[in-house]
Amino acid sequence: MNTPASATERTVRIQIDGAPMDVPRGSTIAAALGTGTVRRSVSGQPRAQLCGMGVCHECRVQVGGVQQLACMTPCAEGQVVDTRPARLRAVPATEACDRSCDLLVVGAGPAGLQAALAAAPSGMRITLLDDNPTPGGQVWRSGPRHAMPSPARRLLDELAHFSNVTLVTGAKVVGLAGERALLIETPTQSGGQHFSRAILGTGARELLLPFPGWTLPGVTGAGGLQALIKQGLDVRGQRIVIAGTGPLLLAAAATARRSGATVLRVAEQASWTSVARFSTALWRWPAKAWQAATLLDPGFRPGSTVTAAHGRERLQAVTLRSGGREHRVDCERLACSFGLVPRTQLAQLLGCALDADGAIVVDAAQQTSVTGIYAAGECTGIGGSERAQRQGRIAGRCATGAAVTPPLARELAHWSRFAALAGERFVLGGAVTRLADADTLICRCEDVTLQELAGCENWGQAKLHTRCGMGSCQGRICGQAARTLWGWTPTAPRQPSEPARIATLAQEPHDLHTRHTRPAAPLSQ
């Protein structure tokens, strides 16, 4: 007569979401999970197994770090099952240099994340590189008091299912290390990032124009204020004025209000007429119309601009001009933004052509003038995160050899029309370019005043005679200001494009680019 098996032999012990569980031997993971939630949908709704036969894919889980279908996977002793959202595999800073990949995506914002996700099914070795400590870019930045927005979380959750995608954060590009290699620096080391193809999703930065007092502590960019708050800046109880132009102003005001600040005024330099025409055209983009309605601030004043900031060691008040009259407002912070400027330094180092507005030139496939180099998002022209995401998807597909689908092309055209509308309605007025007086600093790094630049006719002369643009920011702030104020064209960036350690620059170029570099080749090879 057979001896009954012991209870231990009839069960296996597995671990689900960190909790041990004894289940009958031979059970599937789906059975062990019971009726509990297995995953969350893209809109956050709970999901569990549906078909039980590997068709619906609702029961996908992580088993030992690998995605499996729970209904098709038997339980085994010691198995580690995780139904929680997977995390994109991150590379420590000590391992981030001297690497190679098939496709390098620079920038982990809306465009870069979408590009990486669109390219991931191809099986190419993809590296997603960003200089921020966490992915999301400026638009989807997170911090101690601000959770990562759901669109970014969904993209990262999707990317986590692809073992061929590697995320490297906290690594900045300081120059080139060969024809198909970038010189990368992390807080602890440096080296070459080698690639066959690349997608540039380097985004944009704020256009900051000089006016008396703009260098006082307490004066920041509008987007800069948002970033600081998300990084943990406490603005509770502070009085804030926001000034400049464009939709970013209202977004910054909303962030400040939600964080406990009192927003006294949102000074929009565009006229009431321009703002009204922009608003009435938003019916073509319902989501944007709803967003505008939710962001509307009681202190919003079109036809108004800041003319001066006052204080000794820090900001104490600002002067605003509206309708030809000026008035003073006491405040602790002033956040200004006069638009956005594409970030193109890396593209220029790689030899990519720019258009008259300083944006990267791309074709219908998002390819630049350099074969194998693509670009997407604000670096190709200011247009918002929706447009950036569509461009990212196109760039990701085309970088793998796939074609642009007609629906995706139509979506891009739709959001490009929105970008054109915003650009048309928030054009800088002439008065904004005449705010600086003789003693106003133009170059914040080198303390060069407007008066000192009076005899200069172009950017080259300004650098030669005054060191304007030769400080740490390498002309990123004053160079764009000079372009807006006087039409000067900044000189092309040179290496290093970012401040870098001497040890980084002392490396032999041969060591950085000869080991893994290879030219872009057709995917069929």
Side-chain angles (χ1 to χ4, degrees):
M1 187 171 71
N2 294 331
T3 303
S6 67
T8 302
E9 293 173 335
R10 293 195 300 266
T11 62
V12 294
R13 172 159 287 196
I14 65 174
Q15 181 176 294
I16 298 181
D17 293 342
M21 177 183 292
D22 292 324
V23 299
R25 186 180 299 274
S27 299
T28 64
I29 294 175
L33 289 168
T35 58
T37 298
V38 176
R39 69 179 193 89
R40 295 279 173 176
S41 71
V42 293
S43 61
Q45 299 177 23
R47 291 285 191 267
Q49 47 267 38
L50 176 63
C51 72
M53 58 179 67
V55 175
C56 71
H57 283 62
E58 288 281 34
C59 67
R60 53 189 186 268
V61 295
Q62 296 287 319
V63 182
V66 179
Q67 181 177 287
Q68 303 282 350
L69 293 181
C71 69
M72 305 292 286
T73 307
C75 297
E77 185 68 34
Q79 209 167 44
V80 177
V81 181
D82 208 323
T83 68
R84 296 166 295 191
R87 295 184 177 181
L88 185 60
R89 184 167 62 95
V91 174
T94 55
E95 302 175 14
C97 298
D98 289 323
R99 301 178 59 88
S100 64
C101 62
D102 299 315
L103 177 62
L104 174 64
V105 181
V106 182
L113 289 174
Q114 289 283 9
L117 183 58
S122 70
M124 296 175 73
R125 294 175 303 148
I126 300 170
T127 294
L128 182 57
L129 183 74
D130 200 282
D131 56 358
N132 284 296
T134 57
Q138 303 306 318
V139 174
W140 291 335
R141 181 185 288 273
S142 57
R145 299 188 184 95
H146 292 264
M148 181 173 288
S150 55
R153 289 200 307 271
R154 289 196 295 267
L155 287 175
L156 288 169
D157 289 345
E158 290 294 322
L159 278 170
H161 298 315
F162 295 93
S163 61
N164 57 314
V165 179
T166 300
L167 171 65
V168 179
T169 57
K172 64 180 181 179
V173 178
V174 298
L176 304 183
E179 183 180 358
R180 296 278 168 171
L182 303 182
L183 179 58
I184 307 297
E185 184 179 86
T186 74
T188 59
Q189 64 173 176
S190 57
Q193 173 63 62
H194 315 273
F195 61 91
S196 295
R197 291 175 173 81
I199 299 174
L200 308 181
T202 48
R205 62 178 184 272
E206 291 181 275
L207 172 61
L208 301 169
L209 297 179
F211 54 86
W214 77 303
T215 58
L216 278 171
V219 180
T220 67
L225 177 64
Q226 277 190 304
L228 289 168
I229 290 174
K230 292 177 181 179
Q231 291 167 20
L233 176 69
D234 189 356
V235 296
R236 288 174 295 181
Q238 293 186 3
R239 298 167 297 175
I240 295 178
V241 172
I242 298 176
T245 196
L248 176 59
L249 302 187
L250 289 175
T255 299
R257 278 201 318 274
R258 287 194 297 267
S259 301
T262 299
V263 179
L264 302 175
R265 186 64 53 84
V266 180
E268 166 59 63
Q269 65 89 43
S271 67
W272 279 101
T273 300
S274 291
V275 172
R277 289 178 176 173
F278 175 76
S279 300
T280 55
L282 288 181
W283 63 270
R284 298 181 180 89
W285 301 273
K288 285 295 184 183
W290 173 252
Q291 183 184 44
T294 59
L295 292 178
L296 190 60
D297 190 284
F300 183 63
R301 298 291 186 277
S304 178
T305 190
V306 62
T307 59
H310 311 283
R312 283 186 170 274
E313 296 301 316
R314 60 165 295 105
L315 179 72
Q316 296 176 315
V318 300
T319 296
L320 300 174
R321 179 187 296 148
S322 181
R325 302 176 61 181
E326 290 190 345
H327 63 283
R328 183 173 170 130
V329 179
D330 294 336
C331 59
E332 284 76 44
R333 289 193 177 276
L334 168 64
C336 295
S337 179
F338 296 95
L340 298 173
V341 179
R343 295 183 61 181
T344 60
Q345 285 79 14
L346 177 56
Q348 289 177 274
L349 287 177
L350 291 167
C352 303
L354 306 183
D355 63 19
D357 296 322
I360 304 172
V361 175
V362 293
D363 60 17
Q366 298 298 134
Q367 184 164 231
T368 70
S369 59
V370 179
T371 301
I373 306 295
Y374 300 77
E378 306 284 63
C379 60
T380 68
I382 308 306
S385 63
E386 294 85 1
R387 174 175 173 269
Q389 291 183 70
R390 273 66 179 186
Q391 287 188 322
R393 292 179 200 169
I394 291 174
R397 288 180 58 83
C398 294
T400 66
V404 181
T405 63
L408 190 51
R410 287 193 294 269
E411 288 181 26
L412 176 57
H414 176 69
W415 288 108
S416 293
R417 288 191 290 272
F418 172 78
L421 172 68
E424 178 184 350
R425 295 305 175 196
F426 293 101
V427 175
L428 286 177
V432 175
T433 64
R434 297 189 295 270
L435 296 176
D437 59 25
D439 295 326
T440 300
L441 292 179
I442 303 300
C443 176
R444 300 169 63 104
C445 296
E446 298 293 324
D447 286 353
V448 180
T449 66
L450 176 65
Q451 186 175 17
E452 293 176 275
L453 294 171
C456 300
E457 298 180 357
N458 54 52
W459 184 244
Q461 287 187 11
K463 294 181 69 174
L464 180 64
H465 296 299
T466 69
R467 288 189 54 81
C468 185
M470 298 179 70
S472 297
C473 88
Q474 289 293 288
R476 287 174 174 80
I477 303 299
C478 59
Q480 289 299 329
R483 181 172 186 163
T484 302
L485 299 179
W486 308 302
W488 293 354
T489 301
T491 53
R494 295 184 299 176
Q495 301 193 69
S497 59
E498 300 277 352
R501 297 189 296 269
I502 293 178
T504 298
L505 305 179
Q507 295 185 79
E508 289 293 332
H510 176 81
D511 294 336
L512 291 172
H513 73 261
T514 57
R515 286 177 294 165
H516 305 291
T517 303
R518 61 189 181 201
L523 292 177
S524 58
Q525 290 187 2

